[in-house]
Amino acid sequence: MLINAGARAVEQKSKANRPKGFCMRFRSVAATEVTSSDELMTVLKRYLRESNESEIVVASRIGINHHTLNRWITTSQSPTKGRLALAACFLRRVGYL
């Protein structure tokens, strides 16, 4: 009985640590249209340009460090799958996917 209570506490804690608006699955048809990281970065760059928000603000809203976002934008580093999913979820929330 004690093990099950501990397992539930761990599960609840992991849910609490997720960022607000955390996306677990891609459900919209529009989100599946962007398939490569290059295409997603193009959409992210367009959002940065059109929104006039700073990289720091956008990175914070995505849930990443602003230095990481800058490396993505300057193409010196590609995002990992997990962070790519975070960026896709963000872009879908703001209506760009």
Side-chain angles (χ1 to χ4, degrees), residues 84-95:
L84 193 64
L86 286 175
C89 288
F90 165 74
L91 290 169
R92 188 172 29 173
R93 276 194 321 266
V94 295

Side-chain angles (χ1 to χ4, degrees), residues 11 15 18-19 21-34 81-82 84-93 97:
E11 182 180 334
K15 286 181 183 178
R18 291 182 187 151
F22 184 74
C23 298
M24 291 298 290
R25 298 180 188 156
F26 294 103
R27 293 187 183 210
S28 73
V29 175
T32 59
E33 291 175 8
V34 177
K81 287 181 183 178
L84 193 64
L86 286 175
C89 288
F90 165 74
L91 290 169
R92 188 172 29 173
R93 276 194 321 266
L97 287 184

